[in-house]
Amino acid sequence: MRNAILKALDKNSKRTPKELAVMLGYEEEAVRQEITQMEKEHIICGYPTLINWDKTDLERVSAWIEVKVTPQRGQGFDKIAERIYKFDEVESVYLISGEFDLAVMIEGKSMREVANFVSSKLSTLESVLSTSTNFMLKKYKEHGMEIAGVSTEDERMLITP
Amino acid sequence: MRNPLSQKVVGLQPSGIRKFFDLVSEMEDAISLGVGEPDFDTPWHIREEGIYSLEKGRTFYTSNAGLKELKEEISKYLHRHCQVQYQPKDEIMVTVGGSEAIDLALRAMLDPGDEVLLPMPSYVSYLPCVILSDGVPVEIELKEEDQFKLTKEALLAKITPKTKVLVMPFPNNPTGAIMTREDLQEIVEVVIEKDLYVISDEIYSELTYGGQHVSIASFSGMRERTVLINGFSKSFAMTGWRMGYAAAPVLILEQMLKIHQFAIMCAPTTSQYAAVEALRNGEEDVASMREAYDQRRRFLIHELRRIGFEVFEPFGAFYVFPSIKKFGMTSNEFATRLLEEEKVAVVPGTAFGACGEGFLRISYAYSIDSLKIALERIEKFISRLS
């Protein structure tokens, strides 16, 4: 039941326990309890909304920054990752394999704001050896959903046998 | 001037769905639950393979029966899913959709006057195809109290010395009914005893919920008397590619192939390459679409019952077939009023045979959110009736 609920919510977090119960074939109360339990266990960590900011008049700039760091004795990368992800500007942080160690997603109001963050906050951290900043120019797909140039038209004929 | 037309063709009734379609297309901003095809796009890796075949310049005819590698994949698929072995070399052919295969099978098997049993309500093309093949269609009325399954008694009641072929349209369009192994067992006994042939249209086989699809061809003694028809339209969301196939013993298949060779030449080459990819790497797509349909199926049944419809629970295809008898209207009146008053298009059951009277076909090849909007309107309509 857990996985079925998670898969359904992953596609649409607005589904109510009642709807989920009908769609998945469980009791409403059981679904409600399971969701509460998963929230407690921090399996479900939140219910954000997927927004195409390009279509709004809000200015937002995102950047993907690769960071090379020196891991600290006894704590590996976790400590330095934490020092980075605690910043409000930081959207997400991943430990990655390859040439760099951490991938950091930054959101800011302007290019200058992001640049400032990188030069004054991020690269000045003692363990940070080098950074490589990539500004996002256009978002095509996120969370498995196509964002740019999506047609919502149903192109099927209205009635077919 | 002489009459240019064949009386046989002129005498065919146009599909009931056609008339209703004309009505719907005049209605602006109507929302439809009347579609008989998936709402999903063909999975990208399959489309990509079609594009690649075009880039490579694979734009020639294939052999009449289809690409060798496609027939081999179909053979493996049928073995995996239906537990029947067919030789790719001479027991499988690729057709232009399942529809062509139905036509070919009937034409290859019927002589004038041969009777063909058609469980009804059913897909609209069986009956005209029988007539065009000079056969005599004999309808078997399926009943809601039998969950629209074909029963031994109903079958026996219609068999005459002239009966040659039984069409088995399960999972069924429009009712969504399926036949389980036990249901099929008693049909198989009759078919063998009465020496009939079966055309089994299993185009919706992948859309079976809460259990595995069982093919009638997998029963002992049935492979040699069955033409098994399937395709890619419903399972892989590939309606526009026009990809179907037939598997049958050589004796029958070589005659079907003869007609296909003269009438069609071969199925579209691009589509055949895409179909190979679908069978090789598409099982997960099928599973995830099936899961989505199943969620909508539960949702739609639940909501229709809540609104006040009597609905038999279908376990196949993507249709529900609710009864509207208690509202005191014919299917056509109900569908027309629903369209005119609330701008929701559903298909009257009578489009699938006279015995569809009293029912509607509602498709759930729509997202839950689209279903919700349509259901709100249907609920408004119903509340005005009572």
Side-chain angles (χ1 to χ4, degrees), chain B residues 143-211:
Chain B
K143 299 233 164 65
E144 192 184 17
E145 61 256 37
D146 301 325
Q147 299 173 294
F148 292 105
K149 290 169 191 281
L150 177 63
T151 62
K152 185 180 181 177
E153 294 71 33
L155 173 59
L156 279 169
K158 296 286 181 170
I159 293 177
T160 74
K162 288 186 175 166
T163 308
K164 184 165 186 189
V165 173
L166 164 66
V167 174
M168 286 292 282
F170 296 99
N172 184 269
N173 171 12
T175 65
I178 59 165
M179 295 283 283
T180 62
R181 187 172 297 283
E182 295 71 46
D183 299 329
L184 285 173
Q185 184 60 51
E186 57 173 37
I187 300 304
V188 165
E189 285 159 17
V190 176
V191 166
I192 292 176
E193 192 203 314
K194 301 287 181 183
D195 194 17
L196 306 182
Y197 285 88
V198 168
I199 296 175
S200 186
D201 181 357
E202 303 179 18
I203 193 80
Y204 289 97
S205 64
E206 287 282 7
L207 305 183
T208 301
Y209 313 104

Side-chain angles (χ1 to χ4, degrees), chain B residues 144 148 304 308-312 320-329 331 334 356-362 382:
Chain B
E144 192 184 17
F148 292 105
L304 287 173
F309 283 96
E310 281 156 23
V311 191
F312 122 88
V320 295
F321 205 59
S323 163
I324 49 143
K325 288 175 184 157
K326 69 178 204 183
F327 301 111
M329 277 183 266
S331 299
F334 190 104
E357 185 55 85
F359 298 91
L360 301 173
R361 188 192 76 174
I362 301 183
I382 295 293

Side-chain angles (χ1 to χ4, degrees), chain A residues 4 7-8 11-12 15 18-19 21-25 146 154 156-161, chain B residues 17 21 24 32 34-39 173 291 295 298-299 302 361 365-366 368 372:
Chain A
K7 272 165 86 177
K11 285 200 196 99
N12 186 346
R15 295 263 173 263
K18 191 175 173 185
E19 282 172 356
V22 171
M23 285 165 57
L24 305 172
E146 290 173 29
D154 190 341
R156 294 176 291 173
M157 294 195 296
L158 288 166
I159 302 269
T160 46
Chain B
I17 230 162
F21 177 74
V24 176
S32 175
V35 163
E37 62 178 324
D39 57 318
N173 171 12
E291 196 177 302
Q295 292 178 1
R298 290 202 195 95
F299 177 77
H302 180 270
R361 188 192 76 174
Y366 296 91
I368 295 250
K372 265 189 201 168

Side-chain angles (χ1 to χ4, degrees), chain A residues 76-92:
Chain A
F77 291 98
D78 294 353
K79 197 71 202 165
I80 178 69
E82 186 185 349
R83 289 200 60 182
I84 294 172
Y85 69 64
K86 286 288 187 190
F87 284 109
D88 285 343
E89 296 88 334
V90 173
E91 269 292 303
S92 38

Side-chain angles (χ1 to χ4, degrees), chain B residues 114-133:
Chain B
D114 285 342
E115 291 181 359
V116 179
L117 299 174
L118 301 175
M120 302 289 266
S122 271
Y123 182 59
V124 296
S125 85
Y126 305 129
L127 195 136
C129 283
V130 170
I131 293 172
L132 289 172
S133 308

